[in-house]
Amino acid sequence: MIKLLVRALKGETLARPPFWLMRQAGRYLPEYRALRERAGGFLAFCYTPNLATEATLQPVTRFATDAAILFSDILVIPDALGAEVTFKQGDGPRIDPIRSAEQLSSLSLAGLEDRLSPVYEVVSRVSNELPEDVTLIGFAGAPWTVATYMVEGGSSKDFALTKSWAYKNESGFAALFDLLIEATSRHLVAQIRHGAEVVQIFDSWAGVLSAEMFERLCIAPTRQIVARVRAAAPGVPIIGFPRGAGINMVSYAQETGVDAVGLDTTVPLDWAVREIQTHCAVQGNLDPVLLRTGGSRMVTAIREILANLAKGPFVFNLGHGVLPDTPVENVALLANTVRNWSSA
């Protein structure tokens, strides 16, 4: 049996498209909050297989989504490379900054998969426990997005330090990217080896790049990662999510080799049909704030997305992740609306 999500990502147009939600395992779920209390720190949560497995499965159990996405974080890569990564409640991630060749030399690919073995154990456990019709999605952050956290030392409003390094010292910045391309490729392949059936590459800060930098720092590295994953795991679908990329999504769809492009909330539906869905499957793009709001306005928006995008290969999702204060009943309404919709 070929699962619904895989069929859509391989180019099939389905009577009822599959659905899952970014950050579907998260703080809006009371059962997740209970797990988080037991875990202590966030990275400890990601690296504790029994807790991370349960978190991954919770939304599948509650909402019957067509996919489970691994409960983990994009910053396990710099953590495994040897950067000092911490998470503080309400303050986001913090990383000892990498801003020079000397600091970069302190990072190493040696033992990467051993350090990430708890993550791969979660993948294996979830793969064994999922219902047979539910797809397991692995993921990683794209090099640009991960690099911003590593250079800025955490979140940023303007990404000035990262962009400055990329502009002033192209070869030095390329060395960081080479490291991240290799680490990301290995991480995705390892997830597939342990049971992931689809992988997604999150480029959450792609939208802050100029057209020239988008080609160099988003498209080119993603193309390399896709090629490496394809060589190791032919046939496993790859979703790319270049959030905020706007018209640059067209070249992303054409040039990276991904099987599907995730659409953020700003992407017009008719434009996505003309410019993206002619090249690959699309995924998206309900506004997470509308999911938090709920009600008839949300249902109307869901049906509009389905009516437009489900005429081609399509996966229903949000334009970004579920917000922490989203009412659980709104997510249940979304699930029922999508599940009961038909193009017939």
Side-chain angles (χ1 to χ4, degrees):
M1 176 189 71
I2 302 178
K3 299 179 183 182
L4 207 61
L5 179 66
V6 175
R7 288 172 60 191
L9 295 176
K10 287 184 176 291
E12 283 193 51
T13 299
L14 302 167
R16 196 278 284 174
F19 78 100
W20 66 279
L21 305 177
M22 289 181 280
R23 290 199 202 126
Q24 64 185 23
R27 284 176 286 171
Y28 74 103
L29 290 173
E31 56 267 41
Y32 173 91
R33 293 195 297 270
L35 277 184
R36 181 72 182 264
E37 287 294 319
R38 289 167 52 193
F42 182 72
L43 273 181
F45 193 175
C46 294
Y47 291 148
T48 304
N50 62 317
L51 298 181
T53 297
E54 188 174 344
T56 303
L57 294 169
Q58 283 174 344
V60 178
T61 301
R62 188 184 271 266
F63 304 115
T65 55
D66 293 298
I69 184 165
L70 169 70
F71 179 77
S72 185
D73 194 83
I74 64 171
L75 297 184
V76 298
I77 287 285
D79 185 64
L81 289 171
E84 187 69 33
V85 180
T86 57
F87 286 81
K88 291 187 177 180
Q89 191 78 23
D91 194 33
R94 289 286 179 267
I95 302 180
D96 282 355
I98 303 294
R99 297 172 185 165
S100 68
E102 181 181 6
Q103 290 169 324
L104 185 58
S105 68
S106 69
L107 306 181
S108 175
L109 287 162
L112 178 86
E113 292 183 35
D114 288 339
R115 288 193 288 275
L116 291 174
S117 60
V119 176
Y120 308 138
E121 183 178 341
V122 177
V123 177
S124 295
R125 289 188 183 196
V126 174
S127 178
N128 290 329
E129 294 183 32
L130 275 180
E132 63 178 11
D133 59 341
V134 177
T135 304
L136 175 55
I137 304 172
F139 74 92
W144 164 251
T145 289
V146 174
T148 66
Y149 288 97
M150 296 177 73
V151 177
E152 304 290 336
S155 302
S156 175
K157 292 183 178 179
D158 56 18
F159 307 94
L161 293 169
T162 318
K163 285 184 174 182
S164 294
W165 189 4
Y167 280 130
K168 291 179 181 177
N169 185 358
E170 191 168 328
S171 62
F173 196 70
L176 172 60
F177 260 54
D178 288 344
L179 181 68
L180 289 174
I181 289 166
E182 179 63 22
T184 304
S185 302
R186 290 189 191 183
H187 186 42
L188 291 172
V189 170
Q191 291 176 67
I192 293 167
R193 193 168 61 245
H194 285 82
E197 301 159 285
V198 169
V199 292
Q200 176 157 312
I201 301 169
F202 286 87
D203 215 344
S204 303
W205 302 121
V208 306
L209 294 169
S210 67
E212 180 273 328
M213 291 185 83
F214 186 85
E215 174 65 37
R216 176 160 63 97
L217 300 179
C218 179
I219 288 179
T222 301
R223 183 167 54 234
Q224 290 185 57
I225 291 167
V226 169
R228 295 181 191 197
V229 173
R230 289 248 189 278
V236 172
I238 302 170
I239 307 166
F241 182 49
R243 179 173 170 242
I247 62 172
N248 288 323
M249 283 187 180
V250 178
S251 54
Y252 185 97
Q254 293 174 333
E255 298 175 23
T256 59
V258 296
D259 297 282
V261 171
L263 311 175
D264 63 71
T265 302
T266 67
V267 177
L269 301 178
D270 57 346
W271 182 85
V273 170
R274 292 193 313 270
E275 303 294 340
I276 308 297
Q277 205 172 32
T278 50
H279 300 290
C280 61
V282 293
Q283 175 178 278
N285 70 332
L286 184 73
D287 188 343
V289 176
L290 192 50
L291 175 60
R292 182 173 63 184
T293 305
S296 60
R297 180 73 179 271
M298 179 189 78
V299 171
T300 299
I302 291 170
R303 289 174 176 163
E304 183 181 5
I305 291 168
L306 289 163
N308 281 272
L309 298 181
K311 294 175 183 177
F314 172 57
V315 177
F316 189 92
N317 208 309
L318 303 179
H320 200 217
V322 180
L323 296 170
D325 57 348
T326 299
V328 172
E329 57 268 26
N330 292 0
V331 181
L333 177 59
L334 178 154
N336 288 332
T337 303
V338 177
R339 197 181 302 109
N340 293 322
W341 186 88
S342 175
S343 61

